[in-house]
Amino acid sequence: NAGVTQTPKFQVLKTGQSMTLQCAQDMNHNSMYWYRQDPGMGLRLIYYSASEGTTDKGEVPNGYNVSRLNKREFSLRLESAAPSQTSVYFCASRMSMSGEQFFGPGTRLTVL
Amino acid sequence: GIQVEQSPPDLILQEGANSTLRCNFSDSVNNLQWFHQNPWGQLINLFYIPSGTKQNGRLSATTVATERYSLLYISSSQTTDSGVYFCAVERRDTGNQFYFGTGTSLTVIP
């Protein structure tokens, strides 16, 4: 099992460009999450999907959109990137809306 | 949201020493996890511990949910224990969101 995988690992964008971060899990988990981590801080929740077909906003959703493509995949889209979105992005999943989360390796995004 | 405070913010230990990391939270919670973020940025699950005590090798954790805190004990520390330790809490009636503390940065020197 690969667990939670994320692509790409690194990305540099110019202000105003768009991109999609991909996340997939092979653990048959129902719930998936997107977080961002800024220097010296803990993780903050952007969006989550409790189950296939549902998505909800987290603590910091502005400037992002998400798609739960199927049970395995949960993507995060930046429509018009801003320097304030420079961060490390983590995807996570868990079996249900209880229980422990498992994290992917992260995507380091820089917006110039 | 729930406020999560971790202490100390920074800790430097000699290899072989023991340490206790603390996580306080502002409201009752249903879930609590401890993570280790290694120097390469990877988040590693340590404990899922909404209440009670668990042990895994040199690490153990205790959560006293009624008093709104959790403790992570590291015994006989090794250089590979270096990194940042996060606790994260969840309360189901706030929308199933996990709230993270700002972490304890641990450096173990040989």
Side-chain angles (χ1 to χ4, degrees):
Chain A
N1 285 354
V4 180
T5 57
Q6 294 182 234
T7 56
K9 287 185 171 51
F10 301 93
Q11 184 71 48
V12 178
L13 294 178
K14 294 181 180 178
T15 297
Q17 288 185 316
S18 63
M19 80 161 295
T20 299
L21 281 64
Q22 306 287 353
C23 173
Q25 53 89 12
D26 63 1
M27 297 177 282
N28 201 34
H29 286 172
N30 291 304
S31 305
M32 298 184 73
Y33 303 79
W34 276 106
Y35 292 87
R36 60 177 290 172
Q37 183 180 26
D38 299 312
M41 297 182 68
L43 279 69
R44 291 182 293 168
L45 183 65
I46 305 171
Y47 271 94
Y48 67 100
S49 171
S51 61
E52 188 177 355
T54 68
T55 60
D56 284 287
K57 295 179 181 179
E59 191 181 354
V60 289
N62 292 346
Y64 305 95
N65 286 302
V66 291
S67 295
R68 183 72 183 269
L69 305 169
N70 48 55
K71 189 171 185 178
R72 289 186 65 248
E73 299 171 291
F74 189 37
S75 63
L76 178 72
R77 182 160 178 84
L78 287 70
E79 291 290 351
S80 179
S84 61
Q85 293 178 305
T86 293
S87 191
V88 180
Y89 291 85
F90 288 96
C91 177
S93 71
R94 62 176 174 173
M95 178 59 70
S96 65
M97 292 307 287
S98 62
E100 61 182 311
Q101 292 185 81
F102 295 88
F103 281 82
T107 294
R108 187 173 297 274
L109 175 67
T110 301
V111 183
L112 303 174
Chain B
I2 303 172
Q3 306 302 312
V4 182
E5 295 183 358
Q6 292 186 241
S7 60
D10 300 282
L11 187 59
I12 300 174
L13 295 177
Q14 199 78 36
E15 197 169 25
N18 303 328
S19 62
T20 301
L21 283 57
R22 187 176 181 101
C23 172
N24 291 334
F25 40 94
S26 61
D27 206 344
S28 58
V29 299
N30 301 106
N31 290 317
L32 187 146
Q33 276 188 261
W34 281 98
F35 297 91
H36 174 216
Q37 187 167 40
N38 65 22
W40 297 271
Q42 185 181 5
L43 282 160
I44 300 163
N45 288 23
L46 296 178
F47 294 101
Y48 171 70
I49 185 167
S51 62
T53 298
K54 290 186 177 180
Q55 181 154 9
N56 184 4
R58 295 181 296 104
L59 275 60
S60 64
T62 296
T63 297
V64 184
T66 53
E67 297 186 21
R68 301 180 186 172
Y69 73 89
S70 183
L71 302 174
L72 178 69
Y73 306 95
I74 304 174
S75 64
S76 303
S77 58
Q78 301 176 357
T79 56
T80 52
D81 295 331
S82 295
V84 183
Y85 291 80
F86 290 104
C87 75
V89 302
E90 178 196 22
R91 181 184 169 95
R92 291 201 194 103
D93 62 6
T94 62
N96 298 107
Q97 299 190 31
F98 268 89
Y99 294 91
F100 279 73
T102 53
T104 292
S105 178
L106 173 65
T107 302
V108 180
I109 54 178

Coordinates of all heavy atoms in Angstrom, one line a residue, chain B residues 9-78:
Chain B
P9 N 7.7 25.5 23.6 CA 7.8 25.7 22.1 C 9.1 25.1 21.5 O 9.1 24.7 20.4 CB 7.8 27.2 21.9 CG 8.1 27.8 23.3 CD 7.7 26.8 24.3
D10 N 10.2 25.2 22.3 CA 11.5 24.7 21.9 C 12.1 23.9 23.0 O 12.0 24.2 24.2 CB 12.4 25.8 21.4 CG 11.9 26.6 20.3 OD1 11.9 26.1 19.2 OD2 11.3 27.7 20.6
L11 N 12.8 22.8 22.6 CA 13.5 22.0 23.6 C 14.7 21.4 23.0 O 14.7 20.9 21.9 CB 12.5 20.8 24.0 CG 12.8 19.9 25.1 CD1 13.0 20.7 26.4 CD2 11.7 18.9 25.3
I12 N 15.8 21.5 23.8 CA 17.1 20.9 23.4 C 17.5 19.9 24.4 O 17.5 20.2 25.6 CB 18.2 22.0 23.2 CG1 17.8 23.0 22.1 CG2 19.5 21.3 22.8 CD1 18.7 24.2 22.0
L13 N 17.8 18.7 24.0 CA 18.1 17.6 24.9 C 19.4 17.0 24.5 O 19.8 16.9 23.4 CB 17.0 16.5 24.9 CG 15.6 16.8 25.4 CD1 14.8 15.6 25.1 CD2 15.6 17.2 26.8
Q14 N 20.1 16.5 25.6 CA 21.3 15.6 25.3 C 20.7 14.2 25.0 O 19.7 13.8 25.6 CB 22.1 15.6 26.6 CG 23.5 15.1 26.3 CD 24.4 16.2 25.7 OE1 24.3 17.4 26.1 NE2 25.3 15.8 24.8
E15 N 21.4 13.5 24.1 CA 21.0 12.2 23.8 C 20.9 11.4 25.1 O 21.8 11.4 25.9 CB 22.0 11.6 22.8 CG 21.5 10.3 22.1 CD 22.4 9.9 21.0 OE1 23.6 10.3 21.0 OE2 21.9 9.3 20.0
G16 N 19.8 10.6 25.3 CA 19.7 9.8 26.4 C 18.8 10.4 27.5 O 18.3 9.7 28.4
A17 N 18.5 11.7 27.4 CA 17.6 12.4 28.4 C 16.1 12.0 28.1 O 15.8 11.6 27.0 CB 17.9 13.9 28.3
N18 N 15.3 12.3 29.1 CA 13.9 12.2 29.0 C 13.2 13.5 28.9 O 13.8 14.5 29.3 CB 13.3 11.4 30.2 CG 14.0 10.1 30.5 OD1 14.4 9.4 29.5 ND2 14.1 9.7 31.7
S19 N 12.0 13.5 28.3 CA 11.3 14.8 28.2 C 9.8 14.6 28.2 O 9.3 13.5 28.0 CB 11.7 15.5 26.9 OG 11.3 14.8 25.8
T20 N 9.1 15.6 28.6 CA 7.6 15.6 28.6 C 7.1 16.8 27.8 O 7.5 18.0 28.1 CB 7.0 15.7 30.0 OG1 7.5 14.6 30.8 CG2 5.5 15.7 30.0
L21 N 6.3 16.6 26.8 CA 5.7 17.6 26.0 C 4.2 17.7 26.4 O 3.5 16.7 26.6 CB 5.8 17.3 24.5 CG 7.1 17.6 23.9 CD1 8.3 16.8 24.5 CD2 7.0 17.2 22.4
R22 N 3.7 18.9 26.4 CA 2.3 19.1 26.9 C 1.5 19.8 25.8 O 1.9 20.6 25.1 CB 2.3 20.0 28.2 CG 0.9 20.1 28.8 CD 1.0 20.9 30.1 NE -0.3 21.0 30.7 CZ -0.7 20.3 31.8 NH1 0.1 19.4 32.3 NH2 -1.9 20.4 32.3
C23 N 0.2 19.4 25.8 CA -0.8 19.9 24.9 C -2.0 20.3 25.7 O -2.7 19.4 26.3 CB -1.1 18.9 23.8 SG -2.5 19.3 22.7
N24 N -2.4 21.5 25.8 CA -3.6 22.0 26.4 C -4.6 22.4 25.4 O -4.3 23.0 24.4 CB -3.3 23.2 27.3 CG -2.5 22.8 28.5 OD1 -2.5 21.7 29.0 ND2 -1.8 23.8 29.1
F25 N -5.9 22.1 25.6 CA -6.9 22.5 24.7 C -8.1 23.2 25.4 O -8.3 22.9 26.6 CB -7.4 21.4 23.8 CG -7.5 20.0 24.5 CD1 -8.7 19.6 25.0 CD2 -6.4 19.2 24.6 CE1 -8.8 18.4 25.6 CE2 -6.5 18.0 25.2 CZ -7.7 17.6 25.7
S26 N -8.8 24.0 24.7 CA -9.7 25.0 25.3 C -11.1 24.4 25.5 O -11.9 25.1 26.2 CB -9.8 26.3 24.5 OG -10.3 26.0 23.2
D27 N -11.4 23.3 24.9 CA -12.8 22.8 25.0 C -12.7 21.3 25.0 O -11.7 20.7 24.7 CB -13.6 23.3 23.8 CG -15.1 23.4 24.1 OD1 -15.5 22.8 25.1 OD2 -15.8 24.0 23.3
S28 N -13.8 20.6 25.4 CA -13.8 19.2 25.3 C -13.7 18.7 23.9 O -14.2 19.3 23.0 CB -15.1 18.7 26.0 OG -16.2 19.2 25.3
V29 N -13.0 17.6 23.8 CA -12.7 17.0 22.4 C -13.1 15.5 22.4 O -13.2 14.9 23.4 CB -11.2 17.2 22.1 CG1 -10.9 18.7 22.0 CG2 -10.3 16.4 23.0
N30 N -13.3 15.1 21.1 CA -13.6 13.7 20.9 C -12.4 12.9 20.4 O -12.4 11.7 20.6 CB -14.7 13.6 19.8 CG -16.0 14.3 20.2 OD1 -16.3 15.3 19.7 ND2 -16.7 13.7 21.2
N31 N -11.5 13.6 19.8 CA -10.3 12.9 19.2 C -9.1 13.7 19.5 O -9.1 15.0 19.5 CB -10.4 12.7 17.7 CG -11.5 11.7 17.4 OD1 -11.6 10.6 18.0 ND2 -12.3 12.0 16.4
L32 N -7.9 13.0 19.7 CA -6.7 13.7 19.8 C -5.6 12.8 19.2 O -5.6 11.6 19.4 CB -6.4 14.0 21.3 CG -5.1 14.8 21.6 CD1 -5.4 15.7 22.9 CD2 -3.9 14.0 21.8
Q33 N -4.7 13.5 18.4 CA -3.6 12.7 17.9 C -2.3 13.5 18.1 O -2.3 14.7 18.2 CB -3.7 12.6 16.3 CG -4.6 11.5 15.9 CD -4.6 11.3 14.4 OE1 -5.4 11.7 13.6 NE2 -3.5 10.6 13.9
W34 N -1.2 12.7 18.3 CA 0.1 13.3 18.4 C 0.9 12.9 17.1 O 0.8 11.7 16.6 CB 0.9 12.7 19.6 CG 0.6 13.4 20.9 CD1 -0.3 12.9 21.8 CD2 1.1 14.6 21.4 NE1 -0.3 13.7 22.9 CE2 0.5 14.8 22.7 CE3 2.1 15.5 20.9 CZ2 0.9 15.9 23.5 CZ3 2.4 16.6 21.7 CH2 1.8 16.8 23.0
F35 N 1.6 13.8 16.5 CA 2.4 13.6 15.3 C 3.8 14.0 15.5 O 4.1 15.0 16.3 CB 1.8 14.4 14.1 CG 0.5 14.1 13.7 CD1 -0.6 14.7 14.2 CD2 0.2 13.1 12.7 CE1 -1.9 14.5 13.8 CE2 -1.1 12.8 12.3 CZ -2.1 13.5 12.9
H36 N 4.7 13.4 14.8 CA 6.1 13.9 14.7 C 6.4 14.3 13.3 O 6.1 13.5 12.4 CB 7.1 12.7 15.1 CG 8.5 13.0 14.9 ND1 9.4 12.1 14.5 CD2 9.2 14.2 15.1 CE1 10.6 12.7 14.5 NE2 10.5 13.9 14.8
Q37 N 6.8 15.5 13.1 CA 7.2 16.0 11.8 C 8.7 15.9 11.7 O 9.4 16.7 12.4 CB 6.7 17.4 11.5 CG 6.9 17.8 10.0 CD 6.2 19.0 9.6 OE1 6.0 20.0 10.4 NE2 5.6 19.0 8.4
N38 N 9.2 15.1 10.9 CA 10.7 14.9 10.9 C 11.3 16.0 10.1 O 10.6 16.9 9.5 CB 11.1 13.5 10.3 CG 10.6 13.3 8.9 OD1 10.5 14.3 8.1 ND2 10.5 12.1 8.5
P39 N 12.7 16.1 10.1 CA 13.3 17.2 9.4 C 13.1 17.3 7.9 O 13.3 18.3 7.3 CB 14.8 17.0 9.7 CG 14.8 16.2 11.0 CD 13.6 15.3 11.0
W40 N 12.6 16.2 7.3 CA 12.2 16.3 5.9 C 10.8 16.7 5.7 O 10.3 16.7 4.5 CB 12.5 14.9 5.3 CG 13.9 14.5 5.4 CD1 14.9 14.8 4.4 CD2 14.6 13.9 6.5 NE1 16.1 14.4 4.9 CE2 16.0 13.8 6.1 CE3 14.2 13.4 7.7 CZ2 16.9 13.2 7.0 CZ3 15.1 12.8 8.5 CH2 16.4 12.7 8.2
G41 N 10.1 17.0 6.7 CA 8.7 17.5 6.6 C 7.6 16.5 6.7 O 6.4 16.8 6.6
Q42 N 8.0 15.2 6.8 CA 7.0 14.1 6.8 C 6.3 14.1 8.1 O 6.9 14.2 9.2 CB 7.6 12.8 6.5 CG 6.7 11.6 6.4 CD 7.4 10.3 6.1 OE1 8.7 10.3 6.1 NE2 6.7 9.3 5.9
L43 N 4.9 13.9 8.1 CA 4.1 13.8 9.4 C 3.9 12.3 9.7 O 3.3 11.6 8.9 CB 2.8 14.5 9.2 CG 2.8 16.0 9.3 CD1 1.6 16.6 8.6 CD2 2.9 16.5 10.7
I44 N 4.4 12.0 10.8 CA 4.3 10.6 11.3 C 3.4 10.4 12.4 O 3.5 11.1 13.4 CB 5.7 10.1 11.6 CG1 6.7 10.2 10.4 CG2 5.7 8.6 12.1 CD1 8.1 10.2 10.8
N45 N 2.4 9.5 12.3 CA 1.5 9.3 13.4 C 2.2 8.7 14.6 O 2.9 7.7 14.5 CB 0.4 8.3 13.0 CG -0.6 9.0 12.0 OD1 -0.2 9.9 11.3 ND2 -1.8 8.4 11.9
L46 N 2.0 9.2 15.8 CA 2.6 8.7 17.0 C 1.5 8.0 17.8 O 1.6 6.8 18.1 CB 3.2 9.7 17.8 CG 4.4 10.4 17.2 CD1 5.0 11.5 18.2 CD2 5.5 9.4 16.9
F47 N 0.4 8.7 18.1 CA -0.6 8.2 19.0 C -2.0 8.8 18.5 O -2.1 10.0 18.2 CB -0.4 8.5 20.5 CG 0.8 7.8 21.1 CD1 1.9 8.6 21.2 CD2 0.7 6.5 21.4 CE1 3.1 7.9 21.8 CE2 1.8 5.9 22.0 CZ 3.0 6.6 22.2
Y48 N -3.0 7.9 18.6 CA -4.4 8.4 18.5 C -4.9 8.1 19.9 O -5.0 6.9 20.3 CB -5.1 7.6 17.4 CG -6.6 7.8 17.5 CD1 -7.1 9.0 17.1 CD2 -7.5 6.8 17.9 CE1 -8.5 9.3 17.1 CE2 -8.9 7.1 17.9 CZ -9.3 8.3 17.5 OH -10.7 8.5 17.6
I49 N -5.2 9.2 20.7 CA -5.4 8.9 22.1 C -6.4 9.9 22.6 O -6.0 10.9 23.3 CB -4.0 9.0 22.9 CG1 -4.2 8.7 24.3 CG2 -3.3 10.3 22.6 CD1 -3.0 8.4 25.1
P50 N -7.7 9.7 22.4 CA -8.7 10.6 22.9 C -8.8 10.6 24.4 O -9.2 11.6 25.0 CB -10.0 10.1 22.3 CG -9.7 9.1 21.3 CD -8.3 8.7 21.6
S51 N -8.4 9.5 25.0 CA -8.3 9.5 26.5 C -7.4 8.3 26.9 O -7.1 7.4 26.1 CB -9.7 9.3 27.1 OG -10.2 8.0 26.7
G52 N -7.0 8.3 28.2 CA -6.2 7.2 28.7 C -4.7 7.3 28.4 O -4.2 8.4 28.1
T53 N -4.0 6.2 28.5 CA -2.6 6.1 28.3 C -2.2 5.0 27.3 O -2.9 4.0 27.3 CB -1.9 5.8 29.6 OG1 -2.2 6.9 30.5 CG2 -0.4 5.7 29.5
K54 N -1.3 5.4 26.4 CA -0.8 4.4 25.5 C 0.8 4.4 25.5 O 1.4 5.5 25.8 CB -1.3 4.7 24.1 CG -2.8 4.4 23.9 CD -3.1 4.6 22.4 CE -4.6 4.2 22.2 NZ -5.0 4.4 20.8
Q55 N 1.4 3.3 25.1 CA 2.8 3.3 25.0 C 3.2 2.6 23.7 O 2.6 1.7 23.3 CB 3.4 2.5 26.2 CG 4.9 2.5 26.2 CD 5.5 2.3 27.6 OE1 4.8 2.1 28.6 NE2 6.9 2.4 27.7
N56 N 4.3 3.1 23.2 CA 4.9 2.5 22.0 C 6.4 2.7 22.1 O 7.0 3.7 21.7 CB 4.4 3.2 20.7 CG 4.9 2.5 19.5 OD1 5.5 1.5 19.5 ND2 4.5 3.1 18.3
G57 N 7.1 1.7 22.5 CA 8.5 1.7 22.7 C 8.9 2.8 23.7 O 8.5 2.7 24.9
R58 N 9.8 3.7 23.3 CA 10.3 4.7 24.2 C 9.3 5.9 24.4 O 9.5 6.8 25.2 CB 11.6 5.3 23.6 CG 12.7 4.3 23.6 CD 14.0 5.0 23.1 NE 13.8 5.4 21.7 CZ 13.7 6.7 21.3 NH1 13.6 7.6 22.2 NH2 13.6 7.0 20.0
L59 N 8.2 5.9 23.6 CA 7.2 6.9 23.7 C 6.0 6.4 24.4 O 5.6 5.3 24.2 CB 6.9 7.4 22.3 CG 7.7 8.5 21.6 CD1 9.2 8.0 21.4 CD2 7.1 8.9 20.3
S60 N 5.4 7.4 25.1 CA 4.1 7.1 25.7 C 3.3 8.4 25.7 O 3.9 9.5 25.6 CB 4.2 6.5 27.1 OG 4.8 7.4 28.0
A61 N 2.0 8.3 25.8 CA 1.1 9.5 25.8 C 0.0 9.2 26.8 O -0.5 8.1 27.0 CB 0.6 9.8 24.4
T62 N -0.4 10.3 27.4 CA -1.6 10.3 28.3 C -2.5 11.5 28.0 O -2.0 12.6 27.9 CB -1.1 10.4 29.8 OG1 -0.4 9.2 30.1 CG2 -2.3 10.5 30.7
T63 N -3.8 11.2 27.9 CA -4.7 12.3 27.7 C -5.7 12.2 28.9 O -6.3 11.2 29.1 CB -5.5 12.1 26.4 OG1 -4.6 12.2 25.3 CG2 -6.6 13.2 26.2
V64 N -5.9 13.4 29.5 CA -6.9 13.5 30.6 C -7.9 14.5 30.0 O -7.9 15.7 30.1 CB -6.3 14.1 31.9 CG1 -7.3 14.2 33.0 CG2 -5.1 13.2 32.3
A65 N -8.9 13.9 29.4 CA -9.9 14.7 28.6 C -10.7 15.6 29.5 O -11.0 16.7 29.1 CB -10.8 13.7 27.8
T66 N -11.0 15.2 30.7 CA -11.8 16.0 31.6 C -11.1 17.3 32.1 O -11.7 18.3 32.4 CB -12.2 15.2 32.9 OG1 -11.0 14.7 33.5 CG2 -13.2 14.1 32.5
E67 N -9.7 17.2 32.0 CA -8.9 18.4 32.4 C -8.3 19.0 31.2 O -7.5 20.0 31.4 CB -7.9 18.0 33.4 CG -8.5 17.5 34.7 CD -7.4 17.2 35.8 OE1 -6.3 17.8 35.7 OE2 -7.7 16.4 36.7
R68 N -8.6 18.6 30.0 CA -8.3 19.2 28.8 C -6.8 19.4 28.5 O -6.3 20.4 28.2 CB -9.0 20.6 28.6 CG -10.5 20.5 28.7 CD -11.2 21.8 28.6 NE -12.6 21.7 28.8 CZ -13.4 22.7 28.9 NH1 -12.9 23.9 28.8 NH2 -14.7 22.5 29.1
Y69 N -6.1 18.2 28.7 CA -4.7 18.2 28.4 C -4.2 16.8 28.0 O -4.8 15.8 28.3 CB -3.8 18.8 29.5 CG -3.6 17.9 30.7 CD1 -2.6 17.0 30.8 CD2 -4.5 18.0 31.8 CE1 -2.4 16.1 31.9 CE2 -4.3 17.2 32.9 CZ -3.3 16.3 32.9 OH -3.2 15.4 34.0
S70 N -3.1 16.8 27.3 CA -2.4 15.6 26.9 C -0.9 15.8 27.1 O -0.4 16.9 26.9 CB -2.8 15.2 25.5 OG -2.2 13.9 25.2
L71 N -0.3 14.7 27.4 CA 1.2 14.7 27.6 C 1.8 13.6 26.7 O 1.3 12.5 26.6 CB 1.5 14.4 29.1 CG 1.0 15.3 30.1 CD1 1.3 14.8 31.5 CD2 1.5 16.7 29.9
L72 N 3.0 14.0 26.1 CA 3.8 13.0 25.4 C 5.1 12.9 26.1 O 5.8 13.9 26.3 CB 4.0 13.5 23.9 CG 4.8 12.6 23.0 CD1 4.1 11.3 22.7 CD2 5.2 13.4 21.7
Y73 N 5.4 11.6 26.4 CA 6.7 11.4 27.1 C 7.7 10.7 26.1 O 7.3 9.8 25.4 CB 6.5 10.4 28.3 CG 5.5 10.8 29.3 CD1 4.2 10.3 29.2 CD2 5.8 11.6 30.4 CE1 3.2 10.7 30.1 CE2 4.8 11.9 31.3 CZ 3.5 11.5 31.2 OH 2.6 11.8 32.1
I74 N 8.9 11.2 26.1 CA 9.9 10.6 25.3 C 11.1 10.2 26.3 O 11.6 11.1 27.0 CB 10.5 11.6 24.3 CG1 9.4 12.1 23.4 CG2 11.6 10.9 23.4 CD1 9.8 13.2 22.4
S75 N 11.4 8.9 26.3 CA 12.4 8.5 27.2 C 13.6 8.1 26.4 O 13.5 7.7 25.2 CB 11.9 7.3 28.0 OG 11.7 6.2 27.2
S76 N 14.8 8.2 27.0 CA 16.1 7.8 26.4 C 16.2 8.4 25.0 O 16.3 7.7 24.0 CB 16.2 6.3 26.4 OG 16.1 5.8 27.7
S77 N 16.1 9.7 24.9 CA 15.9 10.4 23.6 C 17.1 10.0 22.6 O 18.3 9.8 23.1 CB 15.8 11.9 23.7 OG 16.9 12.4 24.4
Q78 N 16.9 10.0 21.4 CA 17.9 9.7 20.3 C 17.8 10.9 19.3 O 16.8 11.6 19.2 CB 17.5 8.4 19.6 CG 17.5 7.2 20.6 CD 17.1 5.9 19.9 OE1 16.8 5.9 18.7 NE2 17.1 4.8 20.7

